[in-house]
Amino acid sequence: MKTIITALILLFAVDLSTAQHKLNLSDAIEAALEHNHHIQISSIEQGKASNLVTRGNAGQLPSLSINSDLNWSYSDLELTPGSFFQNLLNPEGGEGRSPETIKYDGVSSTIFSAGVGTQFIIYDGMKGRLRYRILETGSDLAGLQHQTEMENTILDITRKYLQTVTLQNAIELKELAMEQSHDRYRVVETRREYGQASEQQQLQALSDLKTDSTEYRDLIHQYENVYRDLHTTIGWDRREIVPLDDEIRNTDMPQYDDLLNSMYDNNTLLKVRERRIEQAQNEQKMTKADFLPTITAGAQYGYTYQSASDGQFETQEQLGFMGGLSIKIPIFTGGRNRTASDNAKASLRQEQIRYDDSEKQLRTQFDNTWNRLLHLENRLTTEQNNLAVFERNYERAKDSFGQGLITGVELRSAQLSLQDARLRLSETELQIKLTETMLLYLSGGLLINSP
């Protein structure tokens, strides 16, 4: 029995001892910022949005292209010459004679043109400038989304790391509990041989030992699962389990007012809401510009060749420059411009409401998190003081049990009370770290102050 229990206790420790070093929280976060897939995707999106911020994409630069056309047609043709051609063809015919219609059947014609053309918008209600601002805002939003992914990843890594450390500490305490239960069983077994303990006491000690053994294996199973989740979140392919550093350094937190002011200035969600409002404002201005005229300049230098089997001219060639201005004034669009303008105004109002809602939600979450931190710090002091009491209680119960003054059930009660006290203390310390991380997340300083 002793050999089996010792092997169970050492099984987990042997697996961890093969690792060369411990994994700490700082290394886990650094690796996640490099390997996490969501961060990599958002980084690519940020680059794509940044590439779009050009004057050309905003329509503020002229377009230049080489144009070429080739057209062929086959049709019947009727020509009625004008007075110039009538006099030219029949100079003695006199005036008042009706022109004769000339008919051609099966006329084939070919038109070919090639040239270099450019087009430039002179005025369109400042749409080009507004489009450029919208592209800039889109790039800013992509950058903020990338920052959000990094912050969420740090928060997620911290949460899963602390969860794994909690199970690791629970396993270590359960190993100690198994050793204590084994010692108790050995004492009862010896007393049973000398007739100083009943069979019921021996069975109770054995059942407690088996319970600890079962709980120990359950903890190992949970630990391995959450460790794999931690690796997946980091973005690693590795699957080996190494010990986690359970020495979690608490952050020197700023005061309440400083953190609150930082939240209003630096919180990523509020920054996103602000950019959304700017984007909605520019889009509203774009809809107003649809009511204004558009002036476009165009120019082309090229060559045109036209030939026909029959008709007025057999061939015609042109080579040279052509340019001009065009103006488009919207008069009636079926109400589309008015509808777009009203909807843009409504969208702006929606974004303003979303900002107000996010601000209130964040303030509530911030206050709740701050109060939780204060509660956990007070709880930590209490748990530290209580631990000394439970330790003295267990040592006295252990001595009394050795002297036969108390039963094994009473020793078991003292043992479980000490184990729970140690777990509560460990969990409270880790919860403080997680709460501090959440406060930094809300205040927008998580990337600056991450471990």
Side-chain angles (χ1 to χ4, degrees):
M1 174 64 72
K2 182 176 181 179
T3 304
I4 297 174
I5 298 301
T6 304
L8 269 175
I9 294 175
L10 293 179
L11 174 63
F12 187 69
V14 169
D15 290 340
L16 293 183
S17 64
T18 59
Q20 297 180 353
H21 65 281
K22 291 184 177 181
L23 175 65
N24 58 44
L25 179 57
S26 178
D27 291 339
I29 291 176
E30 183 178 354
L33 292 178
E34 179 180 358
H35 299 288
N36 181 269
H37 296 148
H38 294 289
I39 292 179
Q40 292 176 353
I41 292 173
S42 65
S43 178
I44 295 174
E45 288 295 331
Q46 182 184 13
K48 290 166 59 179
S50 179
N51 292 338
L52 292 175
V53 186
T54 64
R55 298 292 178 180
N57 285 327
Q60 292 183 284
L61 299 179
S63 62
L64 181 65
S65 61
I66 297 177
N67 306 313
S68 179
D69 293 304
L70 176 64
N71 297 300
W72 180 85
S73 63
Y74 181 84
S75 60
D76 296 335
L77 181 65
E78 291 187 5
L79 296 177
T80 302
S83 60
F84 172 79
F85 289 100
Q86 287 286 343
N87 294 332
L88 183 64
L89 295 174
N90 189 12
E92 298 178 355
E95 298 181 357
R97 183 178 178 181
S98 61
E100 296 181 359
T101 300
I102 306 174
K103 297 183 178 179
Y104 299 96
D105 296 329
V107 178
S108 63
S109 61
T110 303
I111 301 176
F112 169 77
S113 64
V116 177
T118 183
Q119 192 174 47
F120 180 70
I121 298 177
I122 299 177
Y123 178 77
D124 61 353
M126 310 303 289
K127 287 183 182 179
R129 181 179 299 180
L130 293 172
R131 282 191 292 266
Y132 187 78
R133 290 178 182 174
I134 291 174
L135 291 174
E136 286 183 320
T137 304
S139 178
D140 292 341
L141 285 170
L144 290 172
Q145 181 61 38
H146 180 56
Q147 181 177 334
T148 299
E149 288 292 347
M150 289 192 292
E151 291 177 341
N152 289 336
T153 299
I154 292 176
L155 189 62
D156 197 20
I157 289 293
T158 302
R159 183 183 295 111
K160 292 183 178 180
Y161 184 94
L162 296 179
Q163 181 184 6
T164 310
V165 169
T166 299
L167 287 171
Q168 179 176 283
N169 293 341
I171 289 172
E172 294 174 356
L173 292 175
K174 185 57 68 175
E175 289 174 356
L176 178 60
M178 290 176 64
E179 293 177 357
Q180 293 169 346
S181 296
H182 178 264
D183 291 340
R184 173 190 160 204
Y185 175 77
R186 181 178 53 81
V187 171
V188 173
E189 188 178 35
T190 302
R191 290 178 179 177
R192 172 69 175 160
E193 293 176 358
Y194 291 96
Q196 297 176 354
S198 65
E199 183 181 3
Q200 176 63 34
Q201 291 175 329
Q202 184 182 15
L203 291 175
Q204 182 64 50
L206 181 60
S207 64
D208 291 339
L209 179 57
K210 289 183 176 295
T211 298
D212 288 339
S213 176
T214 301
E215 292 176 351
Y216 178 76
R217 288 192 294 269
D218 289 343
L219 287 172
I220 292 179
H221 174 69
Q222 296 176 36
Y223 179 85
E224 292 174 347
N225 287 343
V226 297
Y227 210 116
R228 282 189 286 268
D229 289 341
L230 177 63
H231 275 181
T232 301
T233 304
I234 290 175
W236 277 341
D237 292 329
R238 65 182 69 174
R239 284 295 181 265
E240 68 274 12
I241 294 178
V242 301
L244 299 184
D245 186 4
D246 58 357
E247 295 294 330
I248 306 297
R249 180 179 61 86
N250 290 332
T251 308
D252 295 330
M253 297 298 295
Q255 297 298 317
Y256 174 88
D257 291 337
D258 295 334
L259 283 172
L260 184 62
N261 292 332
S262 178
M263 184 192 75
Y264 285 120
D265 295 336
N266 302 314
N267 182 270
T268 307
L269 177 58
L270 291 182
K271 287 185 177 181
V272 169
R273 294 300 183 208
E274 290 173 354
R275 295 298 183 276
R276 293 290 186 190
I277 291 175
E278 293 178 9
Q279 194 173 52
Q281 289 173 338
N282 289 326
E283 289 175 353
Q284 183 185 16
K285 293 177 182 178
M286 283 279 291
T287 60
K288 292 182 178 179
D290 290 335
F291 292 94
L292 301 176
T294 300
I295 302 176
T296 306
Q300 179 172 326
Y301 182 84
Y303 169 77
T304 302
Y305 172 82
Q306 180 176 356
S307 66
S309 59
D310 294 293
Q312 185 176 358
F313 300 104
E314 292 187 0
T315 62
Q316 183 176 347
E317 294 182 80
Q318 291 181 340
L319 176 64
F321 170 83
M322 180 177 65
L325 294 175
S326 65
I327 181 170
K328 180 181 178 182
I329 302 175
I331 298 176
F332 178 72
T333 61
R336 292 193 303 271
N337 290 350
R338 176 60 60 187
T339 301
S341 178
D342 292 341
N343 287 343
K345 185 184 299 183
S347 297
L348 175 59
R349 180 57 183 156
Q350 283 180 316
E351 295 300 335
Q352 292 170 339
I353 294 174
R354 289 190 180 103
Y355 180 89
D356 294 339
D357 179 65
S358 298
E359 183 180 15
K360 289 179 173 58
Q361 294 285 348
L362 286 172
R363 176 60 186 270
T364 300
Q365 188 177 6
F366 177 85
D367 288 338
N368 290 342
T369 307
W370 178 263
N371 289 335
R372 176 170 173 77
L373 178 62
L374 298 180
H375 167 72
L376 288 173
E377 289 175 344
N378 292 332
R379 176 180 167 182
L380 178 64
T381 303
T382 303
E383 295 295 348
Q384 289 171 340
N385 295 332
N386 290 343
L387 181 60
V389 176
F390 287 111
E391 288 175 341
R392 291 197 302 270
N393 179 58
Y394 175 75
E395 292 300 327
R396 289 185 179 182
K398 184 179 179 181
D399 293 340
S400 299
F401 177 75
Q403 299 173 16
L405 300 177
I406 63 174
T407 64
V409 175
E410 292 174 300
L411 177 61
R412 175 68 172 179
S413 177
Q415 174 194 0
L416 294 178
S417 297
L418 176 59
Q419 176 182 305
D420 292 341
R422 287 172 173 168
L423 281 175
R424 287 196 302 270
L425 178 59
S426 174
E427 291 175 358
T428 301
E429 291 175 340
L430 298 178
Q431 286 298 318
I432 287 177
K433 179 61 181 178
L434 182 59
T435 305
E436 290 175 343
T437 304
M438 177 59 71
L439 279 174
L440 293 175
Y441 171 80
L442 293 174
S443 64
L446 187 55
L447 289 173
I448 300 173
N449 297 283
S450 61

